[in-house]
């Protein structure tokens, strides 16, 4: 196969090892390094692939896999092509014809919007893409739309880099808040909305000038944009809260609920209330993200205007022609450079991290189901068998927040994870009977903040090696190893686990950062805390006890469980939120791996296409344990919690779905997309009367 550089691609060398690639048709702009530019130049003459590949590799520093990925990325973007010039011209003409534009120029504009990538050129801030950026294999590909002005658009490349750090190939297309049609024209998985222009009005005039509510105009604009986007898209929407000002126009005299700073605080509260009215809309706490890094160096309201809320670093890189506005005279910028620091784009990086954190939670990226904790030296100081008690604290020695506060804080963080539905387990080289005997607190301890043995879903307290114990817990719970995080104070034990079980995330190097990581890392976050998630530890304990009984007693034990399964078509938003979580979390008994946003489910539920099952037995109420979505006569997704596998819940649930489909269809269709994890579900349809035909499971329905 012959590969060549596209006829429509032009390369312009820039300073500092940067080359600008421009595609004349799609208006794609890529800033690449010299090595990638050299690869593109090499294809100026058609090259036989893979025959000539060895010749190309001799000139490069990258490995074969990275090169292959880089070439695939360049072809996907249209920089390289396997078409000859005539064929490429015909392909462009065919794309334009598909758009049915009577005006070819208008059709070309539509094509550029569909294939566009990056921010508005005026605000583009890019680093040169290397072969690793283009060719490094990523586990996920997300397309995200940005609607905003300079604050969000300047962040586009920083967002891409932050995503790459998390193994995500993020493609960004940006436009302005009044250009909502882009959401209908360009495929995407998520939408980000930046600071809206009406923020300037929030700070103007008295409260009376706003009818008593200075935030009303901004919230009305936000509502208009959200509803406009929802007319085109079901994707999750992240809307930025506004930063909190670092200065006030009237200083200390500016007090009260409608002071300058408090207006923006009220606005952020109003955005939270507004977002709660829609499914799949979330507020990004930009103020908290900036405050954590030091707002004074990241916000320019102390420098230029009260409501711009940009970065002071931007003034250090304005084009020289803009000096004409000040007669070419301007102060020495050295003091500003010192205040901002060496990284002029730190604000963009900080907010990009906040955006990716929230996107990771919304998309379920790398979510952890269980945290496994070491005991000695981690949950308490020293070795319990030697100290005789977890702590030696009394109020006479110190308050809660002295040295002992570090350990109390870790316990409290783990209890917060438990409320979120993250399971806790422990692995310790110890004598279990002795640990249980000594793990006690006196009455003066703050017991509501401290872990007890009952907070753990399972134990491995013995003298075996920790990797084997962790693998044993994974097998017992039925989770993949990448669903676990392991915390240990000992560097040797951490390294053993990393080498033996590289899928497990290992923490504990910095005990002073551990609480913050557990409470803020998106891998330990959930979108909603439900009653069921707070009870997950007890539910899983019941499941494990039931499985032990099943192993010992088989069908005879099953008959004693008194299993009751109830099914329904839900419309309640809280229940649909749980369905979203179930599809994201369930990998074993999951037919297709499909996931849904809350907005998609709300629409499908209104059409009667979402089904759920609840289960209880004599061990307890397991809550919502299964969900399915139909599309016409096809069961497009079917997922069931592993904790009820073996209770025949799936048979009852599938029967309920088929009865519902029979009202409008004579045949039910279904598919199973095989993965490395979903072995338990592969016989679902075969065991329930379906027949496989050309990859589709079919079953006639009684009318």
């Amino acid at each position: 196969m012959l590969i060549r550089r596209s006829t429509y691609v032009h390369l312009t060398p820039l300073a500092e090892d940067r080359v600008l690639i421009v595609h004349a048709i799609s208006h794609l702009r890529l800033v690449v390094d010299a090595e990638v530019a050299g690869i593109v130049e090499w294809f100026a003459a058609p090259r036989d692939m893979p025959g000539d590949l060895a010749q190309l590799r001799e000139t490069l520093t990258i490995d074969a896999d990275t090169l292959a990925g880089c070439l695939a990325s360049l072809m996907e973007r249209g920089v390289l092509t396997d078409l000859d010039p005539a064929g490429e011209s015909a392909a462009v003409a065919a794309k334009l014809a598909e758009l049915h534009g009577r005006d070819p120029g208008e059709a070309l504009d539509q094509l550029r919007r569909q294939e566009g990538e990056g921010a508005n050129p005026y605000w583009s801030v890019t680093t040169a893409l290397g072969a690793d950026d283009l060719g490094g294999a990523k586990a996920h590909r997300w397309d995200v739309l940005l609607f905003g002005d300079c604050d969000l658009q300047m962040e586009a490349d920083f967002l891409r880099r932050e995503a790459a750090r998390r193994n995500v190939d993020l493609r960004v297309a940006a436009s302005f808040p009044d250009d909502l049609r882009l959401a209908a024209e360009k495929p995407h998985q998520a939408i980000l909305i930046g600071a809206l222009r009406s923020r300037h009005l929030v700070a103007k005039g008295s409260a009376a000038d706003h009818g008593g509510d200075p935030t009303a105009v901004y919230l009305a604009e936000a509502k208009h944009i959200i509803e406009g986007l929802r007319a085109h898209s079901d994707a999750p929407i992240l809307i930025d809260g506004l930063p909190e000002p670092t200065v006030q126009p009237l200083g200390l005299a500016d007090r009260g609920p409608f002071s300058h700073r408090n207006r923006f605080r009220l606005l952020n509260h109003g955005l939270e209330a507004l977002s709660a009215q829609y499914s799949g809309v979330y507020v990004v706490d930009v103020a908290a993200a900036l405050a954590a890094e030091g707002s004074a160096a990241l916000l320019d309201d102390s420098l230029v205007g009260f409501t711009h809320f940009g970065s002071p670093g931007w003034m250090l890189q304005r084009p020289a022609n803009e000096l004409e506005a000040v007669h070419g005279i301007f102060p020495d910028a050295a003091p500003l450079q010192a205040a901002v620091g060496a990284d002029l784009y730190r604000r963009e990086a900080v907010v990009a991290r906040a955006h990716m954190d929230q996107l990771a939670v919304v998309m379920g990226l790398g979510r952890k189901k269980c945290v496994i904790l070491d005991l000695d030296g981690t949950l308490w100081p020293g070795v319990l068998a030697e100290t005789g008690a977890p702590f030696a604290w009394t109020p006479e020695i110190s308050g809660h927040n002295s040295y002992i506060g570090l350990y109390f804080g870790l316990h409290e963080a783990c209890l917060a994870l438990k409320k979120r539905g993250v399971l806790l387990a422990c692995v310790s080289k110890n004598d279990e009977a002795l640990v249980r005997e000594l793990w006690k607190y006196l009455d003066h301890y703050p017991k509501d903040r401290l872990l007890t043995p009952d907070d753990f879903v399972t134990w491995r307290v013995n003298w075996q090696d920790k990797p084997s114990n962790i693998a044993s817990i994974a097998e017992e719970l039925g989770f993949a190893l990448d669903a676990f995080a392991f915390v240990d104070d000992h560097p040797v034990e951490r390294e053993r686990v990393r080498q033996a079980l590289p899928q497990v995330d290992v923490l504990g190097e910095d005990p002073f950062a551990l609480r913050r990581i557990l409470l803020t890392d998106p891998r330990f976050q959930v979108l909603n805390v439900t009653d069921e998630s707070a009870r997950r530890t007890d539910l899983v304990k019941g499941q494990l006890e039931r499985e032990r009984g099943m192993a010992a007693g088989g069908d005879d034990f099953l008959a004693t469980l008194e299993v009751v399964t109830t099914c329904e078509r839900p419309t309640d938003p809280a229940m649909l939120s749980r369905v979203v979580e179930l599809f994201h979390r369930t990998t074993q008994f999951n037919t297709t791996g499909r996931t849904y946003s809350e907005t998609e489910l709300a629409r499908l539920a209104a059409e009667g296409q979402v089904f759920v099952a609840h289960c209880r037995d004599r061990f307890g109420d397991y809550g919502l344990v299964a969900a399915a979505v139909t599309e016409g006569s096809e069961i497009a997704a079917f997922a069931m919690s592993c904790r009820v596998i073996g209770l025949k819940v799936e048979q009852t649930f599938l029967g309920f779905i088929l009865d519902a489909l029979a009202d409008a269809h004579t045949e039910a269709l279904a598919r199973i997309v095989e993965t490395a994890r979903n072995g338990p579900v592969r016989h679902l349809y075969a065991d329930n009367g379906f027949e496989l035909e050309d990859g589709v499971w079919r079953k006639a329905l009684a009318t």
Side-chain angles (χ1 to χ4, degrees):
M1 177 172 63
L2 291 178
I3 303 295
R4 65 182 185 86
R5 191 179 79 194
S6 168
T7 305
Y8 303 107
V9 163
H10 304 277
L11 279 69
T12 301
L14 307 173
E16 300 174 352
D17 189 33
R18 289 156 57 91
V19 177
L20 175 65
I21 297 177
V22 177
H23 194 290
I25 297 297
S26 69
H27 273 197
L28 170 81
R29 296 173 177 85
L30 285 181
V31 178
V32 300
D33 64 16
E35 186 166 48
V36 174
I39 292 172
V40 177
E41 287 282 19
W42 190 76
F43 283 96
R47 304 289 184 171
D48 177 51
M49 291 288 110
D52 293 342
L53 202 57
Q55 179 187 348
L56 174 60
R57 283 202 59 203
E58 290 176 359
T59 67
L60 303 174
T61 62
I62 56 178
D63 60 39
D65 289 341
T66 301
L67 175 59
C70 178
L71 294 177
S73 181
L74 291 171
M75 290 194 69
E76 178 194 350
R77 289 173 161 93
V79 176
L80 303 180
T81 178
D82 59 356
L83 299 174
D84 61 24
E88 186 180 17
S89 178
V92 171
K95 281 187 177 181
L96 294 176
E98 288 175 2
L99 299 173
H100 305 292
R102 287 179 293 180
D103 179 354
E106 179 186 348
L108 184 58
D109 288 342
Q110 290 186 45
L111 179 66
R112 287 169 176 169
R113 284 168 63 80
Q114 289 179 3
E115 299 190 1
E117 187 175 340
N120 183 288
Y122 180 76
W123 287 314
S124 284
V125 181
T126 62
T127 55
L129 297 173
D132 285 335
D133 296 305
L134 292 170
K138 303 290 190 295
H140 308 275
R141 158 75 184 269
W142 295 350
D143 289 270
V144 175
L145 303 182
L146 309 185
F147 291 95
D149 290 327
C150 54
D151 62 317
L152 192 59
Q153 295 214 24
M154 285 191 71
E155 186 192 321
D157 196 52
F158 297 88
L159 196 61
R160 177 191 62 78
R161 280 181 267 166
E162 182 64 27
R165 192 177 64 81
R166 306 178 194 217
N167 208 17
V168 176
D169 177 10
L170 190 75
R171 306 292 177 88
V172 170
S175 192
F176 303 103
D178 54 1
D179 183 26
L180 304 183
R181 288 186 305 111
L182 183 65
E185 297 170 356
K186 189 168 182 63
H188 56 279
Q189 282 78 53
I191 296 171
L192 273 62
I193 304 171
L196 305 179
R197 294 165 187 168
S198 56
R199 67 186 182 276
H200 303 296
L201 300 177
V202 174
K204 290 187 175 181
S206 68
D209 295 328
H210 296 268
D213 184 1
T215 71
V217 174
Y218 193 99
L219 294 177
E221 184 183 4
K223 181 176 182 179
H224 171 75
I225 291 173
I226 291 169
E227 292 184 350
L229 289 170
R230 276 289 172 254
H232 302 302
S233 173
D234 289 334
I237 296 173
L238 275 60
I239 183 168
D240 282 355
L242 292 185
E244 289 190 5
T246 65
V247 296
Q248 302 223 100
L250 304 180
L252 291 177
D254 198 2
R255 297 192 298 273
F258 299 123
S259 68
H260 178 70
R261 184 175 291 118
N262 281 338
R263 290 187 185 202
F264 291 98
R265 289 171 174 163
L266 287 171
L267 174 59
N268 288 335
H269 284 296
L271 275 179
E272 292 283 3
L274 177 66
S275 71
Q277 298 175 23
Y278 304 91
S279 60
V281 178
Y282 312 96
V283 176
V284 180
D285 196 340
V286 171
L290 296 179
E293 294 287 326
S295 296
L298 304 177
L299 279 177
D300 64 3
D301 66 327
S302 64
L303 193 67
V304 295
F306 286 120
T307 57
H308 182 237
F309 294 146
S311 166
W314 297 353
M315 190 167 285
L316 295 169
Q317 47 223 306
R318 309 308 302 176
N321 64 344
E322 292 184 2
L323 283 169
E324 293 177 13
V326 290
H327 309 295
I329 303 168
F330 199 68
D332 181 4
L336 177 60
Q337 175 78 68
V340 171
D343 185 356
L344 302 183
Y345 293 107
R346 190 157 63 96
R347 181 189 189 279
E348 286 73 26
V350 167
V351 182
R353 187 166 64 244
H355 282 137
M356 271 307 301
D357 280 351
Q358 197 140 341
L359 270 176
V361 178
V362 170
M363 306 294 279
L365 179 67
R367 183 173 294 159
K368 300 302 173 188
K369 296 182 179 181
C370 182
V371 174
I372 300 176
L373 295 153
D374 171 50
L375 298 180
D376 289 336
T378 299
L379 285 188
W380 46 69
V383 177
L384 186 60
E386 297 174 357
T387 59
F391 309 105
W393 176 78
T394 65
E396 293 78 20
I397 296 175
S398 70
H400 290 186
N401 300 312
S402 183
Y403 293 115
I404 198 166
L406 180 68
Y407 297 95
F408 284 7
L410 176 58
H411 282 238
E412 187 178 50
C414 291
L415 288 171
L417 294 186
K418 183 185 171 188
K419 290 179 182 177
R420 298 177 189 181
V422 179
L423 301 177
L424 304 177
C426 72
V427 164
S428 174
K429 288 184 177 179
N430 238 314
D431 181 284
E432 181 173 358
L434 185 61
V435 168
R436 289 187 179 275
E437 177 187 349
L438 298 178
W439 190 346
K440 296 174 183 176
Y441 310 111
L442 298 176
D443 289 341
H444 61 267
Y445 277 74
K447 296 181 182 180
D448 60 321
R449 296 180 59 198
L450 298 175
L451 292 164
T452 70
D454 289 339
D455 292 310
F456 293 83
V457 71
T458 190
W459 287 61
R460 294 296 185 276
V461 179
N462 53 41
W463 299 104
Q464 297 181 27
D465 68 279
K466 292 186 177 181
S468 297
N469 277 328
I470 293 171
S472 171
I473 289 175
E475 183 177 0
E476 180 183 18
L477 296 180
F479 297 163
L481 285 168
D482 61 7
F484 291 88
F486 173 62
V487 182
D488 198 307
D489 69 299
H490 201 292
V492 173
E493 296 292 359
R494 291 196 301 268
E495 188 58 28
R496 281 176 179 159
V497 173
R498 285 193 178 102
Q499 291 189 15
L501 305 173
Q503 307 95 318
V504 175
D505 280 294
V506 179
L507 306 172
E509 283 85 352
D510 182 357
F512 300 103
L514 188 54
R515 173 181 162 96
R516 174 174 289 277
I517 291 171
L518 294 176
L519 291 175
T520 64
D521 191 300
R523 296 171 298 175
F524 304 109
Q525 304 277 346
V526 294
L527 285 174
N528 298 288
V529 174
T530 63
D531 290 340
E532 188 171 332
S533 61
R535 293 189 297 115
R536 184 161 287 128
T537 293
D538 292 334
L539 294 175
V540 175
K541 281 184 177 180
Q543 172 197 346
L544 297 177
E545 187 175 350
R546 189 181 66 231
E547 288 176 353
R548 287 189 284 269
M550 292 273 287
D555 290 341
D556 291 338
F557 178 78
L558 180 61
T560 70
L561 284 178
E562 303 169 9
V563 177
V564 176
T565 301
T566 56
C567 307
E568 63 175 313
R569 298 188 192 188
T571 57
D572 175 54
M575 190 177 297
L576 293 177
S577 177
R578 171 69 184 106
V579 173
V580 171
E581 182 185 19
L582 182 70
F583 278 125
H584 273 292
R585 294 176 68 97
T586 305
T587 58
Q588 292 188 79
F589 211 94
N590 191 320
T591 56
T592 60
R594 287 276 299 271
T595 58
Y596 297 87
S597 69
E598 291 186 21
T599 304
E600 287 178 290
L601 281 182
R603 175 175 53 79
L604 292 165
E607 298 169 358
Q609 296 183 85
V610 180
F611 301 79
V612 299
H614 309 262
C615 179
R616 69 177 187 273
D617 63 21
R618 65 181 177 86
F619 285 105
D621 187 341
Y622 296 95
L624 192 154
V625 295
V629 173
T630 60
E631 295 177 0
S633 64
E634 181 174 348
I635 303 172
F638 187 112
M640 186 179 75
S641 171
C642 61
R643 66 176 180 264
V644 294
I645 291 177
L647 298 188
K648 302 183 179 179
V649 171
E650 66 273 22
Q651 296 177 8
T652 303
F653 186 36
L654 187 56
F656 178 79
I657 298 168
L658 296 178
D659 287 344
L661 291 178
D663 292 338
H665 306 280
T666 59
E667 184 182 43
L669 308 177
R671 301 174 193 271
I672 291 180
V673 178
E674 294 189 5
T675 71
R677 294 276 298 153
N678 72 349
V681 80
R682 293 178 191 169
H683 298 288
L684 171 66
Y685 298 123
D687 291 345
N688 286 277
F690 284 71
E691 294 185 358
L692 186 62
E693 181 180 328
D694 297 328
V696 179
W697 292 94
R698 300 175 179 270
K699 182 174 183 176
L701 299 174
T703 56

